[in-house]
Amino acid sequence: MKLDFVKDYSTDWQALDNAAKIFPSNSSKKDTKVFRFAAELYEDIDADILQKALDETIKEFPLFRSTLHRGVFWYYLKDSNIKPKVKRENAPPCSSIYDADIYNLLFEVTYFNKRINLEVYHAITDGTGALHFLRVLVYYYITIKYSHDFDGSVPKPDYDASINQKAEDSFKKYYKRDRKNKSISESRAYKIRGTKTAEHRIKVIEGTVSLKRMLDKARSLDTTLTVLLVSLFLCAINKNAELSRKKRPIVLMVPVNLRKYFRSESARNFFCTINAGYNFDKDPDDFESVVKYVNEYFKKQLNAENLAARMNRYTKIERNAFVRITPLWFKDIILNIAGEITRNETTGAISNVGSISMPDGFEKYIRLFDMCISTDKLQICVCSYMDNLVISFSSSFKGTDIQKDFFRSIVGMGIDVSVVSNKTSREEL
């Protein structure tokens, strides 16, 4: 394994942001810490035009040219001259990208039939940052391929942050020292058990529903779409939980985009997480009670004051004098242990990146966007474009009963669901 010392640093390097520091120490074949965003168009992808679009996009996101290096005390990102190349998709979703022995780019752009895929290693950016990249990539692809449709009047992309804004470490910008900050303590959560997929391949089951119908249902329950989806997920897990272990709460990790609470155009990581849990062994197990409980929890947690305190707790640890001088090999051990503790505190995860916007007129070229993520558990990723709300389950388990019950609950609300899945083994081919 290569090791770079501080004396080799130059102006083309930058430290990992606070959220990114845990990913290199916790990446494995079981969980590659890679996520995928995809855009499905109405026509097959032209590889040459996609390459031209990528060439233009990378100019606006120089951070994505970075490679990940080991320093004495921390990992860091270093600019490279590697030119990213598009390629036909030939590997399972969210396959490993980061290799500690090779200084390669931390993202890949692939295509298959009508789909453009962007896969990103989490140490370089979060879902919002990756989505900005994909939106710009699709923008260039469409304006290049269909240039004759615009009659010289090409609409501008709605993400026009400067290079410096995109590269900003917003954790550092908004950190405020507060000696009153207390540590965050969570209890052990119910863990899903079952036979794992071969070669740690993730099973992706994707359901597409009407965004309007789902929003109408959420409003009828006096709540938000995210709370509705979290509640459906909790109930689906509970329905399939082992009775002998139901005393532990079912807990879902929910990433929160901090850009909604603190002004930032950063294309790097800028998120924190909250844990939305429910104890079905002690509390009412009817759906309306779960929705009400989760709704109140979100109202308490999702405000700038609480999120700033949570963000500052973790940044404070990073700034601790003893932590800063601790060698990286020892930090790897500690961060790996911290990752294992976090995994024990959650049952699964759900991430909603919200509605995806593109310039007016682009809807005739784009059918939908979707996303999925690597996991050693069970996770939902949600996004929407126009009226297509895509709910993607990523799972390391062969069993699909939880996914089935989740989508059946939506159908039971009178909302149609279109479901597709990938193949994870030769037996499924």
Side-chain angles (χ1 to χ4, degrees):
M1 183 176 294
K2 299 178 181 179
L3 184 68
D4 291 330
F5 290 85
V6 176
K7 65 181 181 181
D8 294 323
Y9 286 3
S10 61
T11 56
D12 63 354
W13 73 271
Q14 52 188 314
L16 293 183
D17 58 73
N18 179 261
K21 284 181 166 61
I22 197 169
F23 295 120
S25 306
N26 284 270
S27 302
S28 66
K29 291 181 179 179
K30 292 181 180 180
D31 187 356
T32 61
K33 304 301 181 186
V34 171
F35 55 93
R36 168 188 286 198
F37 274 97
E40 184 177 317
L41 309 189
Y42 285 108
E43 295 183 357
D44 285 347
I45 302 303
D46 185 315
D48 292 334
I49 294 178
L50 182 59
Q51 182 63 57
K52 292 178 182 178
L54 179 56
D55 293 342
E56 293 300 316
T57 303
I58 198 66
K59 294 176 185 177
E60 300 187 23
F61 293 83
L63 176 68
F64 278 64
R65 290 199 309 261
S66 301
T67 53
L68 183 61
H69 297 245
R70 292 177 59 90
V72 176
F73 301 108
W74 290 109
Y75 293 92
Y76 66 96
L77 297 172
K78 189 173 183 179
D79 191 24
S80 78
N81 294 319
I82 302 172
K83 181 179 179 180
K85 298 288 187 180
V86 304
K87 59 183 179 181
R88 184 178 176 85
E89 182 182 358
N90 61 2
C94 303
S95 296
S96 180
I97 291 179
Y98 170 58
D99 186 330
D101 296 318
I102 302 174
Y103 295 149
N104 58 308
L105 296 179
L106 303 175
F107 78 99
E108 293 181 348
V109 173
T110 64
Y111 65 93
F112 185 78
N113 292 344
K114 298 177 174 63
R115 293 173 62 86
I116 298 172
N117 305 310
L118 170 67
E119 295 200 340
V120 185
Y121 183 54
H122 217 325
I124 196 171
T125 188
D126 58 14
T128 301
L131 182 55
H132 284 324
F133 188 100
L134 179 62
R135 289 170 58 234
V136 172
L137 177 66
V138 172
Y139 167 85
Y140 279 120
Y141 179 84
I142 289 175
T143 55
I144 294 172
K145 182 173 183 179
Y146 303 101
S147 58
H148 56 279
D149 291 351
F150 297 101
D151 295 325
S153 179
V154 179
K156 295 182 179 180
D158 57 5
Y159 180 59
D160 59 354
S162 69
I163 298 298
N164 287 338
Q165 287 175 319
K166 291 170 183 172
E168 177 186 87
D169 184 345
S170 294
F171 286 106
K172 184 180 296 184
K173 178 180 179 179
Y174 287 104
Y175 172 71
K176 183 178 180 181
R177 187 176 183 182
D178 185 356
R179 296 183 182 275
K180 296 180 180 179
N181 276 334
K182 297 179 180 179
S183 61
I184 300 172
S185 178
E186 305 282 355
S187 59
R188 290 177 67 88
Y190 175 84
K191 296 185 72 172
I192 300 170
R193 294 177 179 174
T195 305
K196 294 297 185 78
T197 57
E199 299 175 343
H200 309 293
R201 295 187 178 190
I202 63 168
K203 179 185 288 292
V204 180
I205 297 178
E206 182 179 287
T208 303
V209 302
S210 165
L211 174 62
K212 181 181 182 303
R213 297 291 304 277
M214 289 295 289
L215 287 174
D216 288 344
K217 182 61 181 179
R219 294 187 187 106
S220 73
L221 295 168
D222 195 27
T223 192
T224 66
L225 176 61
T226 300
V227 170
L228 174 59
L229 294 171
V230 168
S231 302
L232 285 167
F233 196 8
L234 288 168
C235 290
I237 295 172
N238 177 60
K239 187 175 180 179
N240 293 275
E242 298 176 16
L243 291 176
S244 61
R245 297 190 297 117
K246 288 184 71 170
K247 290 185 178 181
R248 288 180 180 170
I250 297 173
V251 182
L252 299 179
M253 179 185 291
V254 184
V256 179
N257 179 12
L258 292 173
R259 298 168 185 82
K260 294 182 178 180
Y261 303 88
F262 307 93
R263 186 174 179 180
S264 172
E265 295 292 335
S266 178
R268 302 177 70 180
N269 286 291
F270 192 44
F271 74 99
C272 68
T273 62
I274 60 174
N275 287 346
Y278 195 83
N279 194 325
F280 288 89
D281 187 55
K282 297 180 179 179
D283 300 310
D285 61 359
D286 60 287
F287 183 65
E288 289 74 16
S289 295
V290 177
V291 171
K292 183 178 180 180
Y293 180 90
V294 175
N295 194 52
E296 290 302 314
Y297 176 78
F298 269 55
K299 286 180 179 179
K300 292 177 182 178
Q301 294 295 322
L302 298 183
N303 58 71
E305 183 180 357
N306 282 344
L307 294 173
R310 182 176 287 267
M311 176 175 59
N312 287 335
R313 287 187 189 105
Y314 294 118
T315 307
K316 183 178 179 180
I317 295 172
E318 173 193 343
R319 289 170 175 257
N320 179 277
F322 175 75
V323 172
R324 294 177 69 175
I325 64 172
T326 302
L328 182 57
W329 66 265
F330 188 69
K331 285 192 180 83
D332 278 338
I333 296 173
I334 300 302
L335 290 172
N336 189 264
I337 293 172
E340 184 60 32
I341 292 173
T342 299
R343 286 189 285 273
N344 287 331
E345 294 172 346
T346 58
T347 308
I350 178 168
S351 177
N352 181 9
V353 300
S355 179
I356 298 172
S357 63
M358 292 296 290
D360 291 341
F362 277 45
E363 62 272 11
K364 67 180 179 180
Y365 308 107
I366 306 169
R367 178 173 173 264
L368 56 76
F369 286 86
D370 61 28
M371 66 176 295
C372 63
I373 193 167
S374 68
T375 180
D376 59 354
K377 294 186 176 181
L378 184 63
Q379 177 154 346
I380 291 178
C381 292
V382 185
C383 65
S384 65
Y385 177 69
M386 305 304 289
D387 193 45
N388 283 323
L389 175 69
V390 182
I391 306 167
S392 300
F393 275 91
S394 299
S395 176
S396 61
F397 300 100
K398 286 186 176 182
T400 59
D401 290 340
I402 293 173
Q403 296 93 314
K404 288 178 182 177
D405 283 323
F406 178 92
F407 288 123
R408 282 172 179 169
S409 294
I410 294 178
V411 173
M413 296 174 177
I415 303 172
D416 292 335
V417 183
S418 174
V419 179
V420 296
S421 177
N422 69 332
K423 307 288 193 301
T424 58
S425 67
R426 293 185 179 275
E427 289 78 13
E428 297 181 61
L429 297 177

